[in-house]
Amino acid sequence: MTILNADLHCHSTVSDGTLTPEALAERAKANGVELWSLTDHDEIGGQHRALAAARAVGLPYLTGTEISVTFADVTVHIVGLGFDPDHPALVQGLQATRGGREERAREMSEQLEKVGIPGAFEGALKYVGNPDLISRTHFARYLVETGVCKDTSEVFRRFLTEGKPGFVPHRWAKLGDAVRWIREAGGMAIIAHPARYDHSPTQEYALFSEFKAHGGEGVEVVTGSHTPSEYGKYADMALEFGLAASRGSDFHSPEESRCDLGALPYLEGRLTPVWERLADRIR
Ligand code: AMP
Ligand code: MN
Ligand code: MN
Ligand code: MN
């Protein structure tokens, strides 16, 4: 059934969200979500908590994560759903992917210091719930707190994106490795919010083709990061590449996120939803 209020993409304090897994489960339930997944960046340390919290409120759950990948010099995110959260290939792959984050954060802080913003590393750390996962979002919150910018999107625009003074290029996982870790752990790999990448049409086609060749099976069509015309474009791409379609808010915080948990249009009936292929992995 394509008409299901599934929300298969969001973040907790275990990565760069501001709510705990427990608070997210309650919020999802209250918002009418019927199938939920917590997909923290490069991290599955919140999965057992999320599953327990989903059970406590009677919400069907799929395990989840969102892996940072570098493809054609651009950062791409691959969501994994329905895997065994204790599988060593996935646990070790994610651990390696998280590995460079602290060093990167120290370099970001040094660069910010040069443009007159001191103490950003320590400042960002105040917002970090998981010391293994310091992200640009935590820097953005600190720069808003200190009045350097009025909101987090201004911080990204002025400081934290390519070519700006707080941006440090980073090599993430390889596409094939990320897909393999998810598959070896019994899960389904899904291209997250494809409209957000700075790829040419040729590179985008290559991303979809290579992803499919590695055994990737799904693509996010309806997400908080897409416009309505992009829902249509990626619905067409899902059908063209024989990929199942996913739906998720990418909710991070009540204060920062435009799209709340579950507050999205349904998938179109012509699509095969990812949850049809994951039915035996729903807990
Ligand atoms: P990182 O994994 O440390 O590179 O941080 C990536 C995260 O930064 C994304 O998952 C988003 O939560 C956030 N982010 C990226 N671009 C923006 C933006 N333009 N505005 C607000 N948040 C953003
Ligand atoms: Mn994020
Ligand atoms: Mn993402
Ligand atoms: Mn996300």
Side-chain angles (χ1 to χ4, degrees):
M1 61 176 179
T2 42
I3 303 300
L4 184 74
N5 190 351
D7 193 329
L8 305 178
H9 188 147
C10 70
H11 300 274
S12 76
T13 47
V14 175
S15 65
D16 62 347
T18 62
L19 302 184
T20 60
E22 292 77 16
L24 286 167
E26 283 178 18
R27 191 179 184 96
K29 183 71 181 180
N31 286 4
V33 171
E34 295 165 299
L35 174 64
W36 176 51
S37 181
L38 171 65
T39 55
D40 279 311
H41 296 286
D42 307 326
E43 179 61 280
I44 49 182
Q47 291 305 305
H48 291 289
R49 281 172 70 186
L51 174 59
R55 280 217 176 115
V57 297
L59 181 57
Y61 187 75
L62 282 167
T63 52
T65 188
E66 181 178 20
I67 307 181
S68 310
V69 159
T70 304
F71 182 82
D73 291 328
V74 170
T75 300
V76 164
H77 287 168
I78 300 296
V79 163
L81 294 178
F83 49 76
D84 165 11
D86 302 313
H87 193 282
L90 182 62
V91 169
Q92 286 158 23
L94 291 179
Q95 197 179 355
T97 306
R98 289 193 298 274
R101 280 186 178 268
E102 182 175 335
E103 187 59 34
R104 168 193 186 231
R106 290 189 189 279
E107 285 176 34
M108 285 169 62
S109 186
E110 279 167 27
Q111 291 196 16
L112 289 169
E113 186 144 10
K114 287 187 194 141
V115 294
I117 304 167
F121 181 79
E122 292 72 21
L125 268 188
K126 288 192 295 176
Y127 292 89
V128 170
N130 172 2
D132 249 15
L133 212 118
I134 175 161
S135 105
R136 285 184 291 162
T137 313
H138 302 114
F139 281 83
R141 290 184 184 135
Y142 175 67
L143 266 62
V144 172
E145 174 205 306
T146 50
V148 175
C149 294
K150 68 174 193 322
D151 57 30
T152 51
S153 44
E154 185 188 339
V155 184
F156 277 90
R157 207 167 52 242
R158 287 177 50 198
F159 296 103
L160 302 183
T161 38
E162 182 129 31
K164 300 298 160 63
F167 182 78
V168 173
H170 193 71
R171 283 275 141 201
W172 299 106
K174 292 194 180 107
L175 178 65
D177 288 338
V179 173
R180 181 170 51 78
W181 301 331
I182 294 165
R183 285 172 59 83
E184 285 182 3
M188 178 190 283
I190 294 157
I191 300 174
H193 45 61
R196 278 220 340 232
Y197 308 129
D198 213 0
H199 283 139
S200 67
T202 312
Q203 286 169 329
E204 180 174 75
Y205 204 86
L207 170 65
F208 275 69
S209 309
E210 289 188 32
F211 173 74
K212 178 93 183 167
H214 286 301
E217 295 171 88
V219 58
E220 286 185 347
V221 172
V222 173
T223 113
S225 305
H226 284 179
T227 62
S229 74
E230 288 162 349
Y231 304 154
K233 172 181 172 182
Y234 291 99
D236 291 344
M237 295 270 285
L239 293 172
E240 181 181 351
F241 283 87
L243 295 169
S246 194
R247 175 182 191 266
S249 58
D250 207 355
F251 181 78
H252 283 69
S253 151
E255 287 76 35
E256 295 161 14
S257 298
R258 269 169 306 165
C259 180
D260 206 335
L261 289 165
L264 296 156
Y266 290 113
L267 290 181
E268 291 177 54
R270 63 187 173 125
L271 299 168
T272 302
V274 293
W275 51 88
E276 266 178 25
R277 297 195 188 157
L278 290 165
D280 61 338
R281 276 159 275 177
I282 296 173
R283 297 289 174 258

